[in-house]
Amino acid sequence: MTHERNFRLLNKKFREMFFPTLLASIAGNFAILVDALIVSILLGSLNLSVIQSIEPIAQFLNMIYWLIGFGGSILATTARARFDKDQADSIFTISLISITVIGLIITVFGLLFPDFFTQILCNSNELRPLVKDYFLIFIIVSPFMCFMIVLAYFIKTDDFIPLQFKAFLMANGLNVIGDLAFIPYLGIKGAALATTVSYIVASIYISTYFFNSKGTFRFVKVKLSKALAYMKDICKTGLSSCSIPLYQTIKLLVINSLILGIAGKVGLSAFNMCYNTQFLVGIFIFGTTQSILPIIAVYFQEGDYNGVDYVAKKSLKIVLGFGIFFTLLFAIFPQTILCLFSVSDPSAIPTALNAVRIYALSLLGYGINFLYIFYSQSVQYNKIANIVTILEGLIFPIPLAYVFGHFWGINGIWFSLVLTEIVTFIFIWLYSKYVTKKSNGQYSGFFLNYKDEEASFMEFTIPGNKEDAIALSKEIKDSYSNPNISEEVSFAIGNLIIHILDINEGLDWIDIIIRETNDAIFLSIKSESVEFKYEEDFEGVKSDYFAIKDIVDNIEYSQILGLNNTVITINK
């Protein structure tokens, strides 16, 4: 084929989403690292134990906004890929209203019962007053942080990635300024106040989306019965991703307690170094997974399984690169993370160095397992996503930490966390092998890429010019033995592409996929063209659009991820 698909359009879109999303991930996850860094410099490294003690609450908030943010945005993206804008808007409405109400409830309960929560978070009488001071201010941020992050997930689908990035950058830039301004006068309260104020301001800023005429999500009225049904679907879809911080919360509570019993505050400070190491790596892994989630969800829904496979493999290469780099960095130079967080206490340094060096061996497996969970969620392999999440987050680490900690003390706990990632990866690999064999090849590879055995495919990519459009039309016409079908398919594709070129300048690439079943032929044309409406935009344009309508059975159009997708159906 002279116009065989080269994935350049998909690769361009991946890069467009990857770098801003990675930067947004860095900005969005920087607050806790900045708090820890500035607290260690201004108040001493042992005050990191306060930040570590509050982590379960931060993870609980993550759980809530991942549940609704991931679940809702994936369902809305999928609805748009099915050309169902009403459903997408309904899911958008339910997601934002529910996350705001839940955030307010969390704040009210936290302010009414602070002693109850701090008793759970910290079992040290010395640290508990400081934890309470931090908690009482930090808990106020709940509705603002949750609203902002859930809205950010949705507007990325609407191609508002710069607004998402600027909001996260604003939140964390203000957080840095607030830390430096408040901590010298308010101590540990200042760190919590900086985070709270910064997210309130950023949530107001990201709300400018509602006043932008290019935004396509709208608030709509939703019947109670439908709202409950949508909420159930949102929770079901987002369960695997939200379970990560849920299990992380439980794991932190248990392992914090174990470490305090074995090595005291020095051990907990060392574990904070390990956690910050994982958190640093997680920023890059999370940025990668956030780039692929909407792309894979859309392409999977459209039945473009080769596109899904391309993005999954590209993402795996990126994750492997990050994982290998950080594993070598912290295993060989563990003092890097200690210098970053100003650990200078002679009694704490040996324990922390040893902890980071051992824990670094888990980072590569952590990255791969994390990517697999989010990939599985985006292609709606919810069962395996939930299984891997609970194995990696709860089933493996807690028993291993108890056993290894009992026999080998504090080093045993570090090694148990490494073994958790290794055993999880082995489970995924064996499961993929099992499903591939059982399905007789319908699912294949580590990511279990699906193969539609009931359809045949032809895939093309052409440069954005009319000469290649005409040449492709002729190429498609020559590929069919049935003259009636070949004429209809080639005519529809050729003339629609020419129309797209007529109303656009400087298009780089256009992807064309032809999927043929026993009953129909589906023509998908995807490009970075401006949005158009058929009847209105075809008037006055030298094209044969209305002739196309006479020979095809259906034409559907959607704009998603900054790409225009037209699907033509020709029944046999």
Side-chain angles (χ1 to χ4, degrees), residues 291-540:
S291 300
I292 72 168
L293 263 176
I295 297 176
I296 287 182
V298 169
Y299 276 68
F300 184 82
Q301 180 62 39
E302 294 174 352
D304 186 358
Y305 304 117
N306 287 336
V308 171
D309 189 51
Y310 174 84
V311 174
K313 289 178 179 177
K314 190 175 184 67
S315 301
L316 179 60
K317 291 177 183 177
I318 295 172
V319 167
L320 287 173
F322 284 137
I324 292 171
F325 171 77
F326 284 111
T327 296
L328 293 176
L329 174 65
F330 294 124
I332 299 173
F333 305 107
Q335 62 271 24
T336 304
I337 198 76
L338 272 67
C339 291
L340 181 62
F341 289 95
S342 303
V343 178
S344 57
D345 185 350
S347 64
I349 289 176
T351 302
L353 281 174
N354 195 46
V356 172
R357 182 176 285 113
I358 295 171
Y359 188 76
L361 302 177
S362 72
L363 297 177
L364 180 59
Y366 165 76
I368 297 172
N369 297 335
F370 196 84
L371 175 65
Y372 189 88
I373 290 169
F374 281 88
Y375 167 85
S376 300
Q377 181 187 20
S378 64
V379 296
Q380 300 178 31
Y381 297 165
N382 292 323
K383 182 178 179 181
I384 184 60
N386 290 329
I387 291 173
V388 172
T389 302
I390 194 170
L391 289 176
E392 192 273 344
L394 208 60
I395 301 298
F396 290 149
I398 290 180
L400 288 173
Y402 267 112
V403 173
F404 280 49
H406 176 75
F407 287 102
W408 295 289
I410 194 66
N411 284 339
I413 290 181
W414 312 142
F415 277 111
S416 71
L417 299 174
V418 177
L419 187 59
T420 292
E421 304 301 339
I422 294 173
V423 175
T424 302
F425 172 78
I426 292 173
F427 171 83
I428 294 172
W429 182 75
L430 291 175
Y431 177 81
S432 297
K433 288 286 186 182
Y434 167 76
V435 173
T436 299
K437 184 177 180 180
K438 185 178 179 180
S439 66
N440 294 319
Q442 189 171 15
Y443 295 89
S444 61
F446 181 75
F447 289 106
L448 296 176
N449 190 42
Y450 180 76
K451 180 181 179 181
D452 189 348
E453 296 181 341
E454 297 181 355
S456 60
F457 291 83
M458 289 191 290
E459 302 180 7
F460 307 92
T461 300
I462 64 169
N465 62 72
K466 293 183 180 181
E467 290 77 13
D468 282 280
I470 294 170
L472 175 65
S473 179
K474 185 178 184 303
E475 184 177 333
I476 292 172
K477 184 177 181 180
D478 294 340
S479 66
Y480 282 95
S481 58
N482 186 320
N484 292 329
I485 292 178
S486 67
E487 188 70 34
E488 292 177 352
V489 172
S490 63
F491 181 83
I493 287 179
N495 283 276
L496 192 54
I497 292 176
I498 288 174
H499 168 66
I500 291 172
L501 294 171
D502 281 338
I503 63 173
N504 290 275
E505 293 183 3
L507 286 186
D508 292 328
W509 303 99
I510 301 174
D511 276 353
I512 302 95
I513 298 176
I514 303 174
R515 180 168 65 94
E516 184 174 358
T517 66
N518 293 330
D519 302 318
I521 299 175
F522 303 92
L523 316 177
S524 173
I525 302 173
K526 193 179 268 83
S527 65
E528 289 187 302
S529 52
V530 298
E531 184 176 4
F532 61 89
K533 298 178 181 179
Y534 296 109
E535 284 80 359
E536 297 174 12
D537 289 341
F538 269 97
E539 291 179 2

Side-chain angles (χ1 to χ4, degrees), residues 4-289:
E4 186 175 357
R5 189 180 189 185
N6 56 27
F7 294 103
R8 291 188 182 182
L9 178 64
L10 181 54
N11 187 54
K12 181 182 179 183
K13 179 53 59 177
F14 179 86
R15 285 187 282 107
E16 285 179 1
M17 298 195 71
F18 174 71
F19 291 107
T21 304
L22 179 61
L23 292 173
S25 177
I26 292 171
N29 290 279
F30 200 55
I32 295 175
L33 284 177
V34 169
D35 280 343
L37 175 61
I38 297 178
V39 165
S40 65
I41 293 173
L42 298 180
L43 301 177
S45 61
L46 287 181
N47 275 274
L48 292 174
S49 301
V50 176
I51 305 294
Q52 183 64 27
S53 296
I54 214 72
E55 271 306 302
I57 288 294
Q59 291 296 331
F60 180 73
L61 290 178
N62 287 348
M63 179 192 73
I64 298 300
Y65 61 65
W66 281 11
L67 175 69
I68 296 175
F70 280 133
S73 62
I74 287 175
L75 288 177
T77 300
T78 305
R80 285 197 165 187
R82 295 195 310 266
F83 309 100
D84 192 344
K85 189 179 185 304
D86 290 339
Q87 187 182 66
D89 286 341
S90 297
I91 293 169
F92 173 76
T93 302
I94 296 303
S95 298
L96 283 185
I97 291 176
S98 61
I99 194 62
T100 303
V101 171
I102 292 171
L104 288 170
I105 292 172
I106 292 171
T107 296
V108 170
F109 274 87
L111 294 176
L112 290 176
F113 308 105
D115 292 330
F116 170 78
F117 287 102
T118 52
Q119 185 73 31
I120 295 174
L121 294 170
C122 182
N123 57 9
S124 169
N125 292 328
E126 179 183 355
L127 291 176
R128 194 174 295 125
L130 294 174
V131 173
K132 182 178 179 181
D133 288 341
Y134 191 99
F135 173 83
L136 279 170
I137 299 175
F138 179 80
I139 201 66
I140 297 172
V141 81
S142 299
F144 299 97
M145 179 183 287
C146 291
F147 170 83
M148 173 191 153
I149 293 177
V150 169
L151 179 58
Y153 291 148
F154 278 92
I155 67 175
K156 181 170 63 177
T157 300
D158 218 8
D159 208 32
F160 275 73
I161 297 175
L163 178 61
Q164 177 201 41
F165 167 65
K166 290 176 184 177
F168 282 123
L169 186 63
M170 178 181 292
N172 292 278
L174 291 175
N175 186 67
V176 173
I177 296 170
D179 279 337
L180 295 173
F182 299 146
I183 289 178
Y185 301 99
L186 299 175
I188 198 68
K189 293 180 181 179
L193 181 61
T195 300
T196 300
V197 171
S198 64
Y199 271 95
I200 291 174
V201 174
S203 66
I204 295 172
Y205 173 74
I206 202 171
S207 298
T208 59
Y209 167 81
F210 299 112
F211 305 99
N212 193 311
S213 59
K214 294 182 180 179
T216 59
F217 280 114
R218 298 286 183 269
F219 284 111
V220 296
K221 291 183 179 180
V222 185
K223 292 182 179 179
L224 180 60
S225 57
K226 279 192 173 182
L228 294 175
Y230 285 141
M231 198 64 201
K232 179 181 177 181
D233 291 338
I234 289 169
C235 293
K236 181 180 177 181
T237 304
L239 180 62
S240 58
S241 58
C242 93
S243 298
I244 294 174
L246 171 63
Y247 301 146
Q248 185 86 328
T249 301
I250 299 172
K251 181 173 71 175
L252 283 172
L253 287 170
V254 174
I255 294 181
N256 281 352
S257 179
L258 285 175
I259 291 173
L260 275 173
I262 295 173
K265 290 190 292 183
V266 170
L268 195 60
S269 180
F271 183 48
N272 185 260
M273 293 299 102
C274 294
Y275 182 81
N276 286 332
T277 300
Q278 185 198 69
F279 196 82
L280 180 63
V281 177
I283 290 173
F284 295 91
I285 305 302
F286 187 76
T288 304
T289 58

